Structures are given as C-alpha cells and as structure tokens.
Amino acid sequence: QQQVKQSPQSLIVQKGGISIINCAYENTAFDYFPWYQQFPGKGPALLIAIRPDVSEKKEGRFTISFNKSAKQFSLHIMDSQPGDSATYFCAASAETSGSRLTFGEGTQLTVNP
Amino acid sequence: NAGVMQNPRHLVRRRGQEARLRCSPMKGHSHVYWYRQLPEEGLKFMVYLQKENIIDESGMPKERFSAEFPKEGPSILRIQQVVRGDSAAYFCASSQSAGSSYEQYFGPGTRLTVT
C-alpha cells in the first residue's frame, strides 16, 4: 500500500515535444506529491509539487495533473529541451507518516536536439 | 552555500569495515531524512531524525545500520561490517519541520563502494 508506481521507465522525446510521465499510488493517506529531477552524480532536486485539493499546478514549462479518484498524477514537460535530459522521480508522503517520501522507480528522460 | 551538505562524496570500504556518512542540514532545518539509492533504482527511505531523537527508523535494516543526529554537529549514518550489497548512493534530506507542508531538500549524496 505504500508503493508508488511510475511509468515509463525511459522516455525519448524530440526537442520541442511534450514529455509525459505517469505515477499511481494506493495509499489514500498520501497528501503531498512532489516531483524530483536528478542529474547523474547529483542529488534529487525538487521540481514541482501538488496537494490533493487541486487538480493541476503549472510552473513554467512543468505541469502536474492530479486525479484523486483514480489515484494518479502525472508530470508534463512542455517544449522539452536537451537540458531537461535527466531522471525524474515522482514521490508521495503522508502527514501521518512523518512525511517520509515514498518514491517511484524513476523515468530516464532523453531529449534529442 | 546554505544547502544540505554531505561528506564524504565518495567512500570506498573493504568488506567488514565500517562506513560513516555525515550530513549537515540546511541552516534552520532540524529534521533529517536518510534515503538509499541502489543502482538503477529509486530512493528508499531509511530513517527520520530530529535533534537527538530517532523518529522513524522503519526503513533501516535491523542489523549493522545506525543513525544519530546529536545536539551539536551533523547527522551520522553508520554502517558496520559493510558488505557488497551496501554499495549504493546515500542521500540525506532536511526540512524545516515535520509534516508534508514542509519541503525536503536533498544533499549531493555519498556514493559508497564496498570492495
């Protein structure tokens, strides 16, 4: 029940295209859903996050869509750039669990020039 | 740089030795989380600490692993008698307070290699 499932495992997109990464969860106690970006040899960096009281959040080229009834959320990267090439992790946490993060398996995004 | 600091960045240990990983949280943060990332996998929660207290160690192996966050100084993750399976990247994150209202910021990680 604590798992977060992420897909696809890898994604190749052309420059200017839209990258879409999906995550699904089981635990209805989760109340915070961040996305992290990780470059090789670096720590994860918080990209954007959403709470279940809204269905969408946009920050620049990055948008999170959230479907509470389906227990799914997704990251959309508009106008993808080669510099976006990285591994992306979705995560979830619950206030009742001390906010430890449960991570998805990660998606390796490659944006071709 | 007021970010989360971890050292060493790379650590090589022979089987049976001890590994000590250090984490200094961001200024003003008193909550520390440790995560482990095995090659080609996502991050797995290990332990959550506040100053001088272990709050949640449900993700930590029962043997050989311990963590502390003393009143003064960095948080320490200690692995005794390391085995090859301990080879991984270990990340710590810090937050200002508990609860999902507070974002976790990650350090650069310590990459442990056990030979």
Side-chain angles (χ1 to χ4, degrees):
Chain A
Q1 194 179 22
Q2 291 294 322
Q3 283 185 324
V4 175
K5 295 197 176 294
Q6 183 172 346
S7 62
Q9 190 173 15
S10 62
L11 180 63
I12 299 174
V13 174
Q14 290 300 117
K15 179 182 175 181
I18 302 173
S19 303
I20 301 175
I21 305 171
N22 301 297
C23 284
Y25 64 97
E26 292 290 329
N27 186 355
T28 55
F30 285 149
D31 56 8
Y32 175 66
F33 303 89
W35 284 88
Y36 284 83
Q37 180 188 57
Q38 185 179 31
F39 293 103
K42 305 291 185 184
L46 180 64
L47 197 59
I48 187 172
I50 198 168
R51 301 190 190 280
D53 52 345
V54 297
S55 60
E56 186 174 282
K57 182 174 181 181
K58 185 176 180 179
E59 288 184 3
R61 296 185 294 109
F62 301 94
T63 299
I64 299 179
S65 297
F66 185 81
N67 186 330
K68 188 174 181 178
S69 60
K71 291 186 284 187
Q72 295 175 347
F73 58 110
S74 60
L75 175 70
H76 295 231
I77 306 175
M78 312 300 285
D79 188 26
S80 299
Q81 299 296 314
D84 297 331
S85 297
T87 300
Y88 292 80
F89 293 97
C90 63
S93 69
E95 185 91 24
T96 53
S97 301
S99 9
R100 65 174 183 264
L101 291 167
T102 299
F103 283 87
E105 299 88 348
T107 296
Q108 189 164 353
L109 172 65
T110 302
V111 181
N112 288 326
Chain B
N1 186 347
V4 178
M5 297 177 65
Q6 289 187 250
N7 64 81
R9 295 291 308 276
H10 299 274
L11 182 62
V12 180
R13 284 288 178 265
R14 292 196 178 118
R15 279 181 299 169
Q17 291 184 320
E18 178 179 289
R20 280 187 178 234
L21 289 61
R22 288 177 289 277
C23 169
S24 297
M26 285 180 69
K27 187 175 181 180
H29 288 191
S30 58
H31 298 250
V32 166
Y33 303 78
W34 285 93
Y35 296 84
R36 176 165 65 176
Q37 184 175 34
L38 294 170
E40 309 301 324
E41 292 189 14
L43 291 87
K44 305 291 185 194
F45 167 79
M46 298 182 74
V47 63
Y48 162 38
L49 310 101
Q50 293 180 36
K51 283 286 187 180
E52 299 185 277
N53 289 303
I54 296 175
I55 306 302
D56 180 359
E57 55 183 349
S58 60
M60 195 125 83
K62 294 289 187 281
E63 297 179 353
R64 302 188 298 107
F65 285 74
S66 62
E68 63 177 12
F69 190 14
K71 186 176 181 181
E72 301 291 337
S75 175
I76 306 286
L77 179 67
R78 182 183 177 203
I79 311 172
Q80 294 178 294
Q81 299 174 343
V82 296
V83 300
R84 289 231 171 99
D86 296 333
S87 295
Y90 292 82
F91 292 96
C92 84
S94 72
S95 67
Q96 189 176 0
S97 185
S100 51
S101 301
Y102 297 93
E103 297 168 350
Q104 292 183 29
Y105 295 89
F106 282 78
T110 293
R111 279 146 187 87
L112 172 65
T113 301
V114 180
T115 62

